[in-house]
Amino acid sequence: MPVRAADEAALYRVARRRARDTEQRKMRVDVRYSLDEHTAITAEARRLNLAGAHLVGAIVMAHLEGDLTLPDQRTSHDDLIDELAALRTEVARIGTNVNQIAYKLNAGGHPHPGDTAVLAEAGRILGLARETATSIDVAADKAATFKKAA
């Protein structure tokens, strides 16, 4: 994923514009990393010309301030995808019901005078249900793709 210039600039701004506290920071958080994690963190910090602790601190503070989501954390995109999935299920049920109506009308027997009109309308609604389901699938795919990119 490409790094946005604004994101890198924000890390530098945080480092330079932090207001001085009246007293020294005394609290400390110790964290353990695997060798791979440590290598990745220090490489990125070196690339940004920052201390590793500052990079980790800036990322943690960004998360706490709501500017950064963590992997596997639910976002509004997750809610949108769930809503689209529920909507698609409802549209599919409508299509199934219309299909059952059409089947019963086509099953034979003695047709009623309005059956032809009902069958035509059922076919139209079934087509709309298919188009709607396809549109929902496309919207859900776009939402999922956007979430991966974000």
Side-chain angles (χ1 to χ4, degrees), residues 29-30 48 65-66 74 87-88 92 95 114 144 148 150:
V29 176
D30 291 323
L48 296 171
E65 293 167 1
R74 284 195 65 81
L87 180 60
R88 191 190 191 297
K148 287 178 189 174

Side-chain angles (χ1 to χ4, degrees), residues 5-25:
D7 293 338
E8 286 191 30
L11 288 172
Y12 288 106
R13 256 194 324 277
V14 171
R16 293 192 179 122
R17 295 187 181 171
R18 186 179 70 213
R20 285 291 258 174
D21 289 334
T22 54
E23 62 182 68
Q24 185 179 16
R25 292 180 175 174

Side-chain angles (χ1 to χ4, degrees), residues 116-137:
T116 304
V118 171
L119 271 174
E121 185 63 13
R124 188 184 74 76
I125 292 172
L126 199 53
L128 286 173
R130 282 189 192 113
E131 288 175 24
T132 304
T134 300
S135 296
I136 291 169
D137 289 343

